[in-house]
Amino acid sequence: MTSPRIAITMGDPAGVGPEIIVKALGDPAVRETTHAVVIGDLAWLREVAGMLGSDVEFTAVEHPDEADFDGAAVPVVDLANVTPEVAFGQLSAAAGDAAYRYIARAVDLAVDGSVDAICTAPLNKQALHLAGHIYPGHTELLADLTGTEEVSMMLSARSLRVIHVTTHLGLIDAIDRIEPGLVTRTIERAHRTLVDAGVEKPRIAVCAINPHGGENGLFGYAEEELKIAPGIDKAREQGIDAQGPVPADTAFFRAVRGDFDIVVAMYHDQGHCPVKVLGIDAGVNITVGLPVVRTSVDHGTAFDIAGTGIADGAGMTEALRQAVLLARVR
């Protein structure tokens, strides 16, 4: 079976992205199963590999079609845009703009079929904003670049999968945004993604917003009855096994125990905290609903350790593995 082509974006060059890419590509298993092409800066990648004492080699290509994926060197679509302003661990507009350019090029390559999936190293939202690219994060940026009106963020870590109804919003704004149609569409995306991944009949837990699921109106303002339950009912009418609203303080425990295949979280921290407790370095972020496959590590740029050589590449290795699996399905 031919290995899928995966475009790896280098992320913010001042963060740990280049380091975890070098470490992941140093794993023989990754190289055997993945035709990886990095969208980034060739000189910067070589500098990081030298810093790490890695034997991973890189070579420049104009386009993935030119790449020799069976060769010793990893092909790099070299945008050559790491300027002297960029330094490890330092916030800068130059680094934010570089990260944006990597993503934009990768999207172009994925949309035209030159690569089969995108796997992203972390960017820094503040650096992105300093460069004039005003997005809350990767998810919204990818949706805009692909012309997709609505997507969902899905996290996968060990024995737990989570998909979010809302993501990068303050809590009050998130609760205001939740409505039955959005809940239904999120459940549908969860169901479709798991079916595509080989889960024949996904069991889906849908979280409540309030403690104890609202306790029959004791807590909150009937959000469960007005915003969530009708969305679940609509999904169930389609034959989807969606249960809830389930109190969030038990939903994730039950999913890890094996009662559910995925949990629908209502807001960012409700879904992120349980996943990160299981292992922040091994979590994978998957954008569901895009016309292209996209996976990512589930951690940030880690400016505090960037350039020190201690970043863990396990998350990038797992993100690449998931990208390969999803690309083969797609």
Side-chain angles (χ1 to χ4, degrees), residues 10 12-23 44-45 48 52 88 121:
M10 200 174 77
D12 189 308
V16 296
E19 180 180 337
I20 61 176
I21 290 171
V22 171
K23 289 183 176 180
W44 197 252
L45 286 164
V48 171
L52 296 174
F88 286 118

Side-chain angles (χ1 to χ4, degrees), residues 83-116:
T83 68
E85 303 164 60
V86 177
F88 286 118
Q90 300 298 313
L91 185 72
S92 73
D97 187 64
Y100 173 85
R101 302 296 167 191
Y102 306 143
I103 298 162
R105 179 66 64 86
V107 167
D108 287 343
L109 293 170
V111 169
D112 72 16
S114 298
V115 297
D116 301 302

Side-chain angles (χ1 to χ4, degrees), residues 165 175-185 226-228 231:
V165 174
I175 294 173
D176 184 61
R177 177 74 61 85
I178 296 165
E179 50 87 17
L182 180 56
V183 171
T184 300
R185 294 191 297 276
L226 299 176
K227 291 174 171 284
I228 302 174

Side-chain angles (χ1 to χ4, degrees), residues 140 151-153 163-171 173-179 182 186 264-272:
E140 296 81 3
V151 297
S152 296
M153 178 187 292
I163 192 168
H164 296 70
V165 174
T166 67
T167 49
H168 296 122
L169 292 171
L171 184 55
D173 293 332
I175 294 173
D176 184 61
R177 177 74 61 85
I178 296 165
E179 50 87 17
L182 180 56
T186 305
V264 177
M266 290 296 122
Y267 53 89
H268 185 282
D269 282 13
Q270 187 182 64
H272 274 62

Side-chain angles (χ1 to χ4, degrees), residues 6 9 20 25 38 48 52-53 81 143 171 198 259 265:
I6 311 297
T9 59
I20 61 176
L25 294 177
V38 182
V48 171
L52 296 174
N81 59 354
L171 184 55
D259 294 355

